């Protein structure tokens, strides 16, 4: 009877000792080595992985954001284009006018009409010197009246005197000089002292062009 408990106790003690030996024995070392081996293989596999070419560029492009949306502009109507062109042309014309615009007009006072100098010619050689009454030549008041008429005298001139001819008439009274030269041309002239009259064409040897008198000048009487 007494041997039973001792055997049981011995068996229990042996069992407990055997179990304790498995928990702390060589089994634990084998598990650690397997775990370390797996970690090493994972590290090597991770190092051998290569990034495909262009991957980072595609990633960056994807991160840049979506491409901008292109919005079509509305088509301009024809009359809008015409108005725009007209406005541009008007602006150009205004600029050109501003550059070439005329300055303020200068109003000049009316001056005496332009004249042509003519020189008195006396066909009598004896009267080409001195200023005697016998050698004086008459200026007429009316080129269509008789030259020697008493009331047809506007003043006197002498050979070599320079007069200012304003205009000429070609259908005046026919006059003949001492040498037989005739002419119907009469010059409206003025002396340096302002005396005005008509000089017969035979009393000058004018070679310059003189304008023809207008109708109002032909009909205006001299004072």
């Amino acid at each position: 009877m007494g041997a039973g408990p001792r055997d049981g106790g011995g068996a229990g003690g042996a069992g407990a000792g055997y179990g304790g030996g498995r928990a702390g024995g060589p089994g634990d070392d084998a598990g650690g080595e397997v775990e370390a081996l797996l970690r090493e293989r994972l590290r090597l596999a991770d190092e051998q992985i290569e990034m495909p070419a262009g991957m980072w560029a595609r990633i960056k492009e994807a991160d840049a954001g979506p491409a901008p949306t292109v919005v079509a502009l509305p088509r301009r109507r024809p009359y809008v284009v015409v108005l725009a062109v007209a406005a541009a042309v008007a602006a150009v014309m205004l600029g050109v006018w501003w550059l070439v615009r005329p300055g303020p007009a200068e109003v000049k006072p009316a001056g005496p009409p332009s004249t042509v100098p003519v020189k008195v010619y006396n066909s009598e050689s004896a009267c080409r010197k001195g200023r005697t009454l016998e050698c004086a030549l008459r200026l007429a008041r009316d080129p269509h009246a008789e030259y020697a008429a008493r009331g047809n005298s506007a003043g006197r001139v002498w050979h070599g005197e320079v007069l200012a001819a304003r205009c000429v008439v070609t259908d005046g009274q026919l006059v003949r000089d001492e040498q037989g030269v005739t002419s119907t041309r009469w010059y409206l002239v003025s002396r340096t002292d302002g005396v005005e009259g008509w000089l017969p064409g035979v009393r000058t040897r004018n070679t310059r062009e003189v304008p023809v008198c207008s109708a109002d000048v032909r009909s205006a009487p001299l004072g």
Side-chain angles (χ1 to χ4, degrees), residues 77-150:
R77 297 182 180 179
Y79 71 88
V80 175
V81 176
V82 172
L83 290 177
V85 173
V89 172
V92 172
M93 295 296 294
L94 180 61
V96 172
W97 176 86
W98 181 262
L99 292 176
V100 301
R101 69 188 189 283
E106 295 183 4
V107 180
K108 296 182 179 180
S114 58
T115 58
V116 177
V118 296
K119 184 179 291 188
V120 178
Y121 178 81
N122 195 329
S123 58
E124 296 186 49
S125 57
C127 287
R128 293 176 185 172
K129 294 182 180 180
R131 296 170 65 91
T132 63
L133 291 177
E134 290 78 5
C135 292
L137 301 176
R138 174 184 289 191
L139 293 179
R141 293 170 55 86
D142 185 355
H144 297 94
E146 184 180 356
Y147 181 42
R150 180 181 295 274

Side-chain angles (χ1 to χ4, degrees), residues 4-5 11 19 25 28 49 53 63 88 114 125 132 147 162 168 180 184 187 219 221:
D28 292 338
I49 294 176
D63 293 340
S114 58
S125 57
T132 63
Y147 181 42
V162 178
V168 62
T184 58
Y187 295 91
S219 59

Side-chain angles (χ1 to χ4, degrees), residues 14-217:
Y18 181 78
R22 290 186 60 185
D28 292 338
D29 295 337
E33 292 178 359
V34 171
E35 183 179 355
L37 180 60
L38 289 176
R39 289 181 179 179
E40 180 65 20
R41 289 183 178 181
L42 289 175
R43 185 181 62 79
L44 293 176
D46 185 54
E47 292 179 353
Q48 291 176 357
I49 294 176
E50 295 182 358
M51 183 68 67
M55 177 63 72
W56 287 114
R58 289 195 293 270
I59 293 174
K60 290 182 179 179
E61 291 179 358
D63 293 340
T69 303
V70 178
V71 180
L73 295 177
R75 297 181 61 184
R76 296 184 178 180
R77 297 182 180 179
Y79 71 88
V80 175
V81 176
V82 172
L83 290 177
V85 173
V89 172
V92 172
M93 295 296 294
L94 180 61
V96 172
W97 176 86
W98 181 262
L99 292 176
V100 301
R101 69 188 189 283
E106 295 183 4
V107 180
K108 296 182 179 180
S114 58
T115 58
V116 177
V118 296
K119 184 179 291 188
V120 178
Y121 178 81
N122 195 329
S123 58
E124 296 186 49
S125 57
C127 287
R128 293 176 185 172
K129 294 182 180 180
R131 296 170 65 91
T132 63
L133 291 177
E134 290 78 5
C135 292
L137 301 176
R138 174 184 289 191
L139 293 179
R141 293 170 55 86
D142 185 355
H144 297 94
E146 184 180 356
Y147 181 42
R150 180 181 295 274
N152 195 22
S153 176
R156 298 186 180 92
V157 292
W158 284 265
H159 176 82
E161 190 172 352
V162 178
L163 307 175
R166 178 178 170 186
C167 59
V168 62
V169 296
T170 59
D171 59 348
Q173 183 75 23
L174 178 65
V175 178
R176 176 182 287 105
D177 69 0
E178 291 78 11
Q179 294 181 352
V181 178
T182 61
S183 176
T184 58
R185 294 173 64 86
W186 290 72
Y187 295 91
L188 180 58
V189 297
S190 59
R191 302 188 316 198
T192 56
D193 59 358
V195 174
E196 191 175 43
W198 292 92
L199 178 71
V202 297
R203 297 305 186 187
T204 182
R205 296 296 184 265
N206 177 51
T207 59
R208 301 183 61 177
E209 189 70 24
V210 178
V212 177
C213 297
S214 59
D216 58 334
V217 173

